[in-house]
Amino acid sequence: MKLSSEIKAFQRRLGYEFKNPELLVRALTHGSVSSSTRPDNQRLEFLGDRVLGLVMATALLEADKKASEGQLAPRFNALVRKEACADVARQIDLGAVLKLGRSEMLSGGRRKQALLGDAMEAVIAAIYRDAGFEAARDVILALWGDRIHKVEADARDAKTSLQEWAQARGQKPPSYVEIKRSGPDHAPIFTIAARLQDGTEAQAIAGSKRQAEQAAAKALLERLSPASSS
């Protein structure tokens, strides 16, 4: 199978050259452009999620031999969640080689967090199918790099951390208010405010309500950090 120069360049960024390049092409094929003769990457995504999970669980155990399950679980979640996979995908410019249908391309599919995260998991599975677990593990550890050692000692998603911050100070759980929705129906942009009982708030913008809420919670936590440390 002859590969385009773009996919060859992607393999170099990935740090892995496929023996069976058809696996990589499938991993990069979104459902919007699939057909009976061109399967999409969903089955590979399912497998890649599990391979990534095993690699990260093992790496975390080795990185901190004294950590409890309660400490390891949030660190694990921070490393394997879709946002983390999408971040690694951006690092190697995976979006540039995604195979998308016209509607997805027009709606900015190459930049969408969900598509990038799914494709990253599919690429991991493709490596696993091409050369086995050790090859997949080596690529994952190289791409995730210092994230494993720098993950917060008690990593939790921002919404959970903000709720705990409020409860520890006797406040009601924070609320999330949609301030604005813009853009076309197929690619909306949300502006969300994370708001505490005393009226303190921070806003964020993202392509989904969930992402915007998380970003707003993170922004508010950063604003509160001087107060929390005093």
Side-chain angles (χ1 to χ4, degrees):
M1 182 181 191
K2 190 173 181 179
L3 294 176
S4 68
S5 59
E6 289 83 2
I7 291 185
K8 288 179 181 177
F10 173 72
Q11 287 188 119
R12 291 192 290 272
R13 297 194 299 273
L14 179 64
Y16 180 81
E17 185 173 346
F18 280 80
K19 303 179 189 73
N20 178 7
E22 289 184 4
L23 284 166
L24 175 57
V25 172
R26 179 173 178 180
L28 298 172
T29 302
H30 184 254
S32 61
V33 76
S34 65
S35 67
S36 58
T37 57
R38 178 191 272 184
D40 63 31
N41 61 9
Q42 288 186 345
R43 286 172 62 85
L44 285 174
E45 174 204 339
F46 172 81
L47 176 60
D49 177 60
R50 275 70 187 170
V51 175
L52 174 63
L54 180 56
V55 171
M56 284 301 150
T58 303
L60 286 170
L61 285 172
E62 293 175 351
D64 188 347
K65 299 184 185 302
K66 295 182 179 180
S68 67
E69 188 277 339
Q71 292 173 308
L72 291 169
R75 300 179 199 176
F76 175 84
N77 291 335
L79 290 167
V80 304
R81 63 168 62 113
K82 200 69 71 180
E83 292 87 345
C85 292
D87 188 45
V88 173
R90 293 187 192 97
Q91 172 185 313
I92 56 175
D93 198 14
L94 188 154
V97 291
L98 273 179
K99 297 183 177 296
L100 303 172
R102 185 171 181 273
S103 62
E104 277 294 349
M105 284 194 288
L106 291 175
S107 65
R110 297 189 190 282
R111 300 185 301 275
K112 288 182 180 178
Q113 185 163 269
L115 269 64
L116 289 172
D118 290 348
M120 189 68 243
E121 291 173 344
V123 168
I124 288 169
I127 297 170
Y128 172 76
R129 295 289 297 273
D130 193 57
F133 179 75
E134 289 187 2
R137 178 198 63 202
D138 291 347
V139 171
I140 290 168
L141 293 178
L143 292 178
W144 262 252
D146 287 345
R147 289 175 177 85
I148 297 167
H149 299 285
K150 290 181 177 178
V151 68
E152 294 179 15
D154 190 23
R156 288 187 174 87
D157 67 81
K159 288 182 67 174
T160 300
S161 296
L162 182 60
Q163 180 167 326
E164 291 178 351
W165 188 96
Q167 289 177 335
R169 289 155 180 80
Q171 295 190 31
K172 293 180 180 178
S175 60
Y176 295 88
V177 182
E178 183 178 323
I179 303 299
K180 182 181 177 183
R181 174 174 174 160
S182 58
D185 289 341
H186 65 271
I189 301 295
F190 296 92
T191 300
I192 299 288
R195 187 173 295 160
L196 292 174
Q197 182 181 357
D198 63 6
T200 306
E201 71 170 50
Q203 296 184 13
I205 300 172
S208 76
K209 283 188 176 181
R210 179 179 177 275
Q211 293 171 23
E213 287 175 356
Q214 288 286 355
K218 182 179 180 181
L220 186 48
L221 281 167
E222 290 172 353
R223 181 176 296 177
L224 294 168
S225 57
S228 62
S229 61
S230 61

